[in-house]
Amino acid sequence: MKFRYKVIIINIILLSLTLGIVGYLLMERSYNLAINSEIKSAVTENNLVQSSIEYSLLDVINRKQVINTMLPSICDQVYSGMVSGEEALLIRYADKYIYVSEGAFSGNHVVSDPDVAVPEELFKFSDETRKNYLIKEEAENIFLYVTSFSSINEKNLNIITRRDITELKSLLDKSITDYRRITIIIISSAALLLYIFSRLLTRPLEKLSDTTDSFAEGDYSVRSSIKTGDEVGHLSNRFNSMADSVEARVEELNDMIHRREQFVADFTHEIKTPMTSIIGYADTLRSVDLSREEQQDALNYIFSEGKRLESMSMKLFDLLYLKDHPIDIRQIPANVLANSIITSITPLLEKSGIKLETDFEPAILMGDPELLKTVFINLLDNARKASKSGDSIEFTGKVVDGLYEFTVQDHGIGISEENQKKIFDEFFMVDKSRTRAAGGAGLGMSLVSIILKRHDADLNLTSKQGEGTRITVKLRIEE
């Protein structure tokens, strides 16, 4: 069931209950007020009748006349003069009815039958009460009985008046019928208005629902255009924020998948090239008689390609290991780390005819010494590959703004702006022929990037083709 229909049904139920309860209370109160008014009027008339009859009976008693004989005529006179024709008058003396007004029950004035249809509970007086009333439904009519109690010659005298209040019940029934019609009209009108307003209120939700359906079907570029200042507008903004995050994450995952596919393709290619050469030279050595010099060249090539495969496998292992395993962070003197790096890289630089210039400020670094050594050996080796014999490379370190800043500066071929964005990708090589000739596989800078990320270190690269490259690494120091 749609939300708007739920809103309409709930509101109609609440409106119906409210109108029903309020209508019931109002009509009940009006009916009770009308009944109370009739009771007061009937009691007043009964008091008047009682006063007149008792006053006339005083004269009968003074004359020593028979009360039973004179009472009917007195009641007839009083009834004719003081009680309206719509009411009935009954006199009960000595627990016997001696007068009933015309048309009340039997149609004559004197009642011989003692069982007149008057409720007996009307005569149950309390010690303090000398007057009583009772409402009774008889057939299709409703009557209001009022009786008074007095004693004449030590005999009970009850003066009873009866009023027909059926019209009040008819008015109540008519009011209920009219109220039901009005209620139906109000509820129908309210339902129509609720439907219109709920359509207007839920239309933004429907638009947002359509947007989410499109998003769920894979259209991650879709956005909600709802701009309202209420909760729906806030929900729309939150959806757009979520959609931006999801789209960015999806793009990141797609990029990751692409990079993995590219990684596998590049890895396969990088392995295939030396393996093809190794197999070819090995087959040549196996099947062709070569001179001693030719055999030595073939073996040297097989050895160099094997070493390159070994280096590639070790760096791949380091890449995979560092992504999922913790590293050992401890205090490292900067000069000790630098001397270890210089000791390892100097033979390779001397073999290439490149001079290394160094200068380091003392400080205590925080990191894994072996991994940091790998970082700077890779950076210095790349600087070597980019330089030619006779060039120099500067390797320096100093404290800047609370961090230790290592710098590797070469004056070689440089890196283009386009290649600077790709330099940390796996298997990327600025100059493939030069890198492969030097025994590289394009994994060094990827390994550098991962190690520095694990150390929360920053790397800044600036380069210009033909002028050289400057790489700065900023590491935490121990306070």
Side-chain angles (χ1 to χ4, degrees), residues 119-154:
E120 283 297 324
E121 58 265 30
L122 188 64
F123 305 108
K124 295 179 181 179
F125 296 94
S126 63
D127 294 337
E128 298 83 8
T129 304
R130 311 294 290 180
K131 196 175 291 291
N132 201 3
Y133 73 89
L134 176 68
I135 298 175
K136 184 179 181 183
E137 186 172 351
E138 299 175 1
E140 296 180 356
N141 297 323
I142 301 175
F143 295 100
L144 171 61
Y145 290 90
V146 179
T147 182
S148 60
F149 172 79
S150 58
S151 181
I152 305 295
N153 293 337
E154 298 181 356

Side-chain angles (χ1 to χ4, degrees), residues 210-372:
D210 294 338
T211 303
T212 56
D213 289 341
S214 299
F215 192 84
E217 292 173 359
D219 185 5
Y220 300 114
S221 63
V222 68
R223 294 294 182 273
S224 174
S225 60
I226 300 171
K227 303 296 180 183
T228 59
D230 54 10
E231 289 80 357
V232 177
H234 179 69
L235 179 61
S236 173
N237 294 333
R238 297 295 296 173
F239 171 81
N240 289 338
S241 299
M242 180 203 69
D244 293 338
S245 300
V246 171
E247 185 178 21
R249 183 59 179 166
V250 169
E251 290 178 356
E252 182 181 345
L253 292 174
N254 288 335
D255 182 64
M256 183 184 300
I257 293 172
H258 174 72
R259 288 167 62 88
R260 286 183 178 180
E261 292 175 349
Q262 188 65 38
F263 179 88
V264 172
D266 292 341
F267 179 63
T268 303
H269 177 74
E270 291 298 327
I271 289 180
K272 181 180 179 181
T273 301
M275 288 301 296
T276 300
S277 300
I278 290 172
I279 292 172
Y281 277 104
D283 184 62
T284 300
L285 289 172
R286 182 177 64 86
S287 58
V288 179
D289 291 332
L290 299 175
S291 65
R292 179 66 181 170
E293 182 179 353
E294 290 174 334
Q295 291 178 359
Q296 190 66 34
D297 290 339
L299 291 172
N300 286 336
Y301 192 87
I302 291 173
F303 177 79
S304 63
E305 289 299 297
K307 293 295 290 182
R308 191 161 78 88
L309 285 175
E310 180 187 34
S311 174
M312 186 187 305
S313 64
M314 292 301 296
K315 288 185 177 180
L316 278 174
F317 174 78
D318 290 339
L319 282 172
L320 297 174
Y321 182 86
L322 287 173
K323 288 180 180 179
D324 300 320
H325 292 78
I327 60 175
D328 182 19
I329 301 293
R330 61 178 183 267
Q331 296 179 349
I332 314 167
N335 58 338
V336 173
L337 176 63
N339 290 334
S340 175
I341 296 168
I342 293 168
T343 301
S344 298
I345 198 67
T346 296
L348 193 59
L349 295 176
E350 289 178 349
K351 185 178 179 180
S352 300
I354 297 173
K355 181 181 179 182
L356 181 65
E357 299 178 0
T358 61
D359 183 23
F360 298 96
E361 292 183 3
I364 301 298
L365 310 179
M366 296 301 297
D368 186 313
E370 293 301 323
L371 294 178
L372 291 178

